[in-house]
Amino acid sequence: MIHINEVAKQTKITVRTLRYYDQIGLLTVSSKTEGGHRLYTEEDLKKLQQIQFLKGMGYSLQDINDMLSDPKWNWSNSLKNQLVYIIEEQARLKSIESSLRELINSIAVEGGDDHLAIQKLIRLSLNHKSRLKTFRDSMFSDKEIELWTKLPKMSGEDPDSLEWIALIGQIKRHVNDNPATPKVQSIIRRMQEKQLEDFNDDEEFINKLWDIRKSSVQSEELGLYPIEKEVLDFLERAYEIYISSVQDSSALQGGES
């Protein structure tokens, strides 16, 4: 006979849990000491192993009790049903994970304004996914839809998405500054570099996407994260300054040569 404290030590299961298993009839001990401490046999320990094994598969304690107490239990059907449940639970948790990442990234874009980020995501969540896809397919060619998949995702954890999110967040923090300042132009330069890296400088697609971005209605219909008009206007002015400076620099180099 093994004392409850020793069982807890060997199995890393708390004494409180072992007592609870006994109270609900899941693992009734074979004997007790004169002082009332529970004692376990080797068979009890084997059953405890089964309980922990099935618990690790996601079964509830009530399910485990039913399984171990019924000699005619259909293990095959039970395991198949549990597998279906686990797969569905994984999908649910994956969806929650995506939502959490989306909210974390949205708060980063909004400079820590969690209330604004939540309100924007709630608004986006009201759009039906099938309607979004229908609208997207009507707006873009097959080639452009392929480029569309490379757009940064608010729920993304990939380096490209995270960098775009950080760049937008930086721009929002400078929206009241002069768009010609070196800091702003440095951000715009990196955006331009990423644009070339991600979209191969497909000017037609980029221009179409920008026109959609400037329309709050179309942006929402496509499920794009809402960006305020003042931020978009600031970005446009900053880009114009950047492009003009690049052209002037090229013209100057051409004249020198």
Side-chain angles (χ1 to χ4, degrees):
M1 308 291 286
I2 306 174
H3 194 280
I4 187 172
N5 289 335
E6 182 62 25
V7 172
K9 182 178 178 181
Q10 290 182 16
T11 62
K12 309 298 182 185
I13 301 170
T14 65
V15 170
R16 183 179 179 181
T17 298
L18 292 170
R19 287 173 179 163
Y20 180 68
Y21 286 176
D22 192 2
Q23 290 170 7
I24 64 175
L26 181 60
L27 182 63
T28 305
V29 295
S30 302
S31 183
K32 292 184 179 180
T33 66
E34 291 183 1
H37 295 289
R38 292 166 173 80
L39 297 172
Y40 295 81
T41 64
E42 289 294 335
E43 286 301 314
D44 293 333
L45 293 183
K46 288 180 181 178
K47 186 174 183 181
L48 180 58
Q49 287 179 333
Q50 291 176 325
I51 291 169
Q52 293 305 105
F53 177 73
L54 294 170
K55 188 180 175 184
M57 290 187 181
Y59 284 104
S60 69
L61 295 181
Q62 183 58 57
D63 287 339
I64 295 171
N65 201 7
D66 294 341
M67 296 165 78
L68 297 181
S69 61
D70 185 356
K72 295 183 179 179
W73 185 266
N74 190 323
W75 283 86
S76 181
N77 285 345
S78 176
L79 292 170
K80 288 176 182 176
N81 290 337
Q82 185 67 0
L83 179 59
V84 170
Y85 165 76
I86 293 299
I87 291 172
E88 291 175 347
E89 189 67 5
Q90 284 179 330
R92 186 183 72 84
L93 291 173
K94 191 66 180 176
S95 176
I96 292 174
E97 178 190 349
S98 177
S99 297
L100 287 170
R101 291 188 186 282
E102 194 169 30
L103 181 53
I104 289 170
N105 290 334
S106 299
I107 291 174
V109 166
E110 302 303 338
D113 190 335
D114 52 345
H115 178 73
L116 180 58
I118 290 170
Q119 289 304 113
K120 286 186 175 183
L121 291 179
I122 289 174
R123 196 167 76 206
L124 281 179
S125 69
L126 299 176
N127 289 324
H128 198 280
K129 288 185 178 180
S130 62
R131 188 165 63 84
L132 293 177
K133 183 178 183 303
T134 300
F135 186 72
R136 186 198 66 185
D137 291 349
S138 69
M139 291 288 293
F140 297 101
S141 65
D142 291 342
K143 178 188 174 183
E144 290 171 336
I145 289 174
E146 186 176 342
L147 291 172
W148 176 272
T149 62
K150 297 180 181 180
L151 289 176
K153 299 173 180 61
M154 292 303 294
S155 60
E157 56 181 317
D158 58 287
D160 281 335
S161 289
L162 294 178
E163 186 175 1
W164 273 114
I165 289 166
L167 289 169
I168 293 296
Q170 290 172 38
I171 282 293
K172 292 195 72 169
R173 288 194 289 274
H174 292 280
V175 74
N176 293 319
D177 297 344
N178 186 330
T181 61
K183 180 62 178 177
V184 173
Q185 288 300 299
S186 175
I187 299 169
I188 295 297
R189 182 175 67 252
R190 181 54 189 152
M191 284 182 163
Q192 183 72 11
E193 290 170 353
K194 285 197 64 58
Q195 183 176 294
L196 292 170
E197 293 168 6
D198 297 344
F199 307 112
N200 299 318
D201 200 25
D202 191 313
E203 191 171 341
E204 184 177 349
F205 172 75
I206 293 168
N207 289 338
K208 184 185 291 188
L209 184 62
W210 182 247
D211 288 339
I212 291 170
R213 251 299 177 202
K214 290 190 292 183
S215 167
S216 60
V217 174
Q218 288 187 328
S219 288
E220 189 168 328
E221 287 178 327
L222 281 168
L224 297 174
Y225 185 80
I227 298 178
E228 292 80 0
K229 183 178 184 301
E230 62 174 333
V231 177
L232 295 174
D233 289 344
F234 180 81
L235 264 172
E236 192 162 45
R237 292 198 305 274
Y239 259 109
E240 288 172 354
I241 293 168
Y242 173 77
I243 295 300
S244 178
S245 67
V246 170
Q247 291 174 343
D248 289 345
S249 177
S250 297
L252 181 61
Q253 290 178 1
E256 291 176 349
S257 61

